[in-house]
């Protein structure tokens, strides 16, 4: 997905699930999102969205 779509999806997930979400760039150049607890660190982190941060 595009970076703009990934940001929108990550924000929606973070606020709905109330968990921190990481946006990462996959090896093929696309972006994806996952809960930070599920991220294994094998890809480039683009952003983190934390619903509890001020």
């Amino acid at each position: 997905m595009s970076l703009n779509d990934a940001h929108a999806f990550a924000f929606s997930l973070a606020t709905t699930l109330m968990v921190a979400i990481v946006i990462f760039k996959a090896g093929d150049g696309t972006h994806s999102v996952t809960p930070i607890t599920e991220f294994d660190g094998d890809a480039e982190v683009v952003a983190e969205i934390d619903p509890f941060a001020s």
Side-chain angles (χ1 to χ4, degrees):
M1 79 180 66
S2 71
L3 183 56
N4 286 339
D5 288 342
H7 271 282
F9 185 49
F11 183 77
S12 176
L13 276 178
T15 56
T16 301
L17 300 176
M18 295 305 290
V19 297
I21 301 291
V22 66
I23 302 171
F24 63 93
K25 187 173 185 178
D28 63 356
T30 60
H31 296 88
S32 190
V33 301
T34 190
I36 204 160
T37 57
E38 300 292 321
F39 184 65
D40 60 7
D42 287 346
E44 175 188 347
V45 174
V46 176
E48 293 178 14
I49 308 221
D50 185 353
F52 300 105
S54 303

